[in-house]
Amino acid sequence: MNLKKGTWVFAFFSILLIMVVLASCSIGEKSFRDETITAENKAEIAGKAKTALTVEETRLLGQYLERFYPDLAKDELPSGRTINQMIGEEMALTSTRPVSPTSQPARDLMQPSVSRKTASQVEAAASVIPVAVIPETPQPVVVEIVSGTVIMARLGELLSTKTAQNGDHFEMELAEDLTAGEHLVAPQGSRARGKIISSQSSGKVKGLATISLTLTDLYVEGEQYPLQAETLSYQAEKTTGKDAAKVGIGAGIGAIIGAIAGGGKGAAIGAGVGAGAGTTVVLATKGDELEFPVEQMFHFSLTKGFKVKVLRD
């Protein structure tokens, strides 16, 4: 009888001891879940959370921290909260909507989070990157080159009364910029074109070679502009200046203002205004034929203005 009683007492105390141990474990687990997190215990609680929480609890806690504490560093927990409070609040927020399988995964407590503050700083930095400013397209404006404007041009090829024929065209280029007020119409070097009005070689008219030419075209930005300019007439000189002067006056060309340049072939750049409208007379040096080399300069006065479309400065 005593043996049975002793056995029963031993069993009773054994069961009681097991219950105490289980209760102690339960209290310990409940203690870390419900313990308010502080600066002193947050590392300990975070360590317990990694090993004691279920997969679902870990997911809910991670979602909660990502939602309300995105700036926390890895393994950090917020002070003033408990594990159960945070898991419970996240469950309440997500209980009414299913979690999409394609949704952004919750932040793992073992992985570092991306700081929302850092993202804001990146956006702010991007906002101050200078944006390329597209310059306003220049608008064209129409300007007028008035009658009487003098255009200085130089030859782009050799001219000679020995080969020149009536109606031949020849190449020229501007010797200086052509402007209209503040606008550059055509820069120096722009293409121009002239025309032979008449050409007579030596021996056809009492041994005197003559040639008349004018400026007919100007090219600006690929556009061709017809010109009306005075005719420049040149005549070879006889053996004396007196005979040459008589030829000029006898032909009704007008009074000679320019002087004759002596020696060698080429043009003598004098100037004169003929009795006929728009005609300039220049006497050439002695020789059988009149010949103008490349780069020879001419001054043409426009007898009629023209308009050109240029870009506004």
Side-chain angles (χ1 to χ4, degrees):
M1 181 70 178
N2 290 335
L3 179 61
K4 291 183 179 179
K5 183 178 180 181
T7 303
W8 182 87
V9 171
F10 175 78
F12 173 77
F13 280 105
S14 297
I15 294 172
L16 181 61
L17 179 61
I18 292 172
M19 292 178 63
V20 170
V21 171
L22 291 176
S24 176
C25 292
S26 176
I27 292 172
E29 182 178 340
K30 180 178 180 181
S31 175
F32 111 79
R33 290 171 177 271
D34 292 327
E35 186 175 353
T36 301
I37 299 169
T38 65
E40 291 75 18
N41 66 12
K42 64 171 56 178
E44 179 184 355
I45 294 177
K48 291 179 179 180
K50 290 180 184 179
T51 58
L53 295 181
T54 66
V55 174
E56 179 64 13
E57 288 173 333
T58 300
R59 183 184 69 81
L60 292 170
L61 180 59
Q63 287 184 179
Y64 180 86
L65 295 177
E66 185 68 29
R67 186 191 308 274
F68 295 104
Y69 299 95
D71 294 335
L72 286 178
K74 176 184 176 182
D75 298 335
E76 281 288 319
L77 292 174
S79 298
R81 310 290 293 165
T82 70
I83 296 293
N84 277 342
Q85 283 177 340
M86 293 185 285
I87 292 176
E89 290 178 12
E90 184 62 24
M91 288 180 64
L93 289 172
T94 59
S95 61
T96 57
R97 55 183 176 86
V99 178
S100 172
T102 59
S103 299
Q104 180 75 17
R107 187 182 72 174
D108 192 332
L109 290 177
M110 300 296 292
Q111 298 297 328
S113 64
V114 178
S115 172
R116 184 174 299 172
K117 181 178 180 181
T118 302
S120 301
Q121 291 173 342
V122 172
E123 293 177 1
S127 66
V128 298
I129 296 176
V131 178
V133 178
I134 300 176
E136 183 179 351
T137 303
Q139 297 300 313
V141 59
V142 177
V143 299
E144 182 177 5
I145 308 299
V146 299
S147 175
T149 299
V150 175
I151 297 179
M152 183 184 298
R154 62 167 62 95
L155 272 179
E157 58 185 273
L158 175 70
L159 286 186
S160 172
T161 54
K162 187 175 182 178
T163 57
Q165 301 293 321
N166 296 353
D168 286 352
H169 285 89
F170 54 91
E171 290 296 314
M172 306 189 79
E173 66 177 31
L174 295 187
E176 61 183 11
D177 293 343
L178 177 62
T179 59
E182 298 179 352
H183 299 285
L184 174 63
V185 176
Q188 178 182 347
S190 295
R191 182 189 172 197
R193 192 170 68 154
K195 181 180 180 180
I196 302 296
I197 302 301
S198 64
S199 176
Q200 293 179 326
S201 61
S202 176
K204 291 185 178 180
V205 183
K206 297 182 181 181
L208 298 178
T210 62
I211 191 171
S212 297
L213 52 88
T214 189
L215 187 65
T216 58
D217 298 281
L218 177 64
Y219 295 84
V220 180
E221 299 292 335
E223 295 287 336
Q224 181 181 7
Y225 293 89
L227 304 179
Q228 294 186 29
E230 64 181 348
T231 299
L232 302 183
S233 297
Y234 300 88
Q235 181 173 299
E237 186 185 16
K238 280 190 176 182
T239 56
T240 64
K242 179 179 179 181
D243 292 335
K246 287 180 179 179
V247 171
I249 297 172
I253 298 176
I256 299 171
I257 299 176
I260 299 172
K265 291 187 178 182
I269 307 304
V273 179
T279 301
T280 297
V281 178
V282 180
L283 295 186
T285 58
K286 299 178 182 180
D288 293 335
E289 300 291 347
L290 286 175
E291 189 174 276
F292 301 98
V294 176
E295 300 292 326
Q296 177 63 57
M297 303 281 287
F298 295 93
H299 294 73
F300 296 97
S301 179
L302 296 180
T303 58
K304 184 179 180 179
F306 69 101
K307 295 181 179 180
V308 182
K309 184 183 293 186
V310 299
L311 294 180
R312 188 186 304 274
D313 295 334

